[in-house]
Amino acid sequence: MTQSSAKTAVVYHSGYGHTKRVAEAVAEGASALLIAIDAEGNISDHEWNALALADAIIFGSPTYMGGPSWQFKKFADTSSKPWFEEKWKDKVFGGFTNSASINGDKLNTLQYFVLLAGQHGGLWVSLAMKPANVKASQRDDLNRMGSYIAPMTQCDADAAPDEMSSGDLETCRLYGARVADVATRLLAPPTS
């Protein structure tokens, strides 16, 4: 990360370790601070302050029952405090999700994140990656889930986090880099 790079934070909840693995890939790409929402849906005051100081915030949650985990929703509800003070206004936002099923209603989780970013007056960054959707496509291809809003990943319910698709993780790493790059470009002074 260069001196002029945007400060990026990845705030996520992970129930079984799969979403944590995805968050780590996103954070690697963005050179971001990782903030884990705990099992009770909380983060520390220090972490709330880090989000206030960030130029970009990337949300992450598994998709459970067609939406984000309740722990992520509690975090989102608690973000009404920075919302009231417009602390996240004009920040760059992104997000990602994981579920055991190929579909798993992951789109609903990503739309939840987009709306949350919009409520905070933020700017959403799309994936900007074509899907792997031809007969020759493989499990480890980039954007095999065919998402455009942001990365979706999939890992079988009986698979360990270390069995996740390398293509899904690389898709997420590249997305993290994209979000950080967009935020950095928005921070750059105008050229004459």
Side-chain angles (χ1 to χ4, degrees), residues 88-122:
W88 295 359
K89 185 177 179 182
D90 295 332
K91 290 186 186 293
V92 172
F93 286 88
F96 58 89
T97 189
N98 178 75
S99 72
S101 299
I102 295 293
N103 178 342
D105 297 318
K106 290 187 273 284
L107 178 60
N108 192 47
T109 300
L110 294 180
Q111 289 172 331
Y112 181 93
F113 295 159
V114 172
L115 182 56
L116 180 60
Q119 288 179 321
H120 280 283

Side-chain angles (χ1 to χ4, degrees), residues 57-127:
I57 299 173
I58 304 173
F59 300 133
S61 173
T63 296
Y64 294 155
M65 302 306 291
S69 66
W70 73 262
Q71 291 91 340
F72 187 90
K73 289 181 201 172
K74 180 180 176 185
F75 159 80
D77 287 349
T78 307
S79 79
S80 63
K81 293 173 185 171
W83 169 85
F84 188 75
E85 297 176 14
E86 296 186 332
K87 287 188 175 183
W88 295 359
K89 185 177 179 182
D90 295 332
K91 290 186 186 293
V92 172
F93 286 88
F96 58 89
T97 189
N98 178 75
S99 72
S101 299
I102 295 293
N103 178 342
D105 297 318
K106 290 187 273 284
L107 178 60
N108 192 47
T109 300
L110 294 180
Q111 289 172 331
Y112 181 93
F113 295 159
V114 172
L115 182 56
L116 180 60
Q119 288 179 321
H120 280 283
L123 309 166
W124 187 264
V125 177
S126 67
L127 183 55

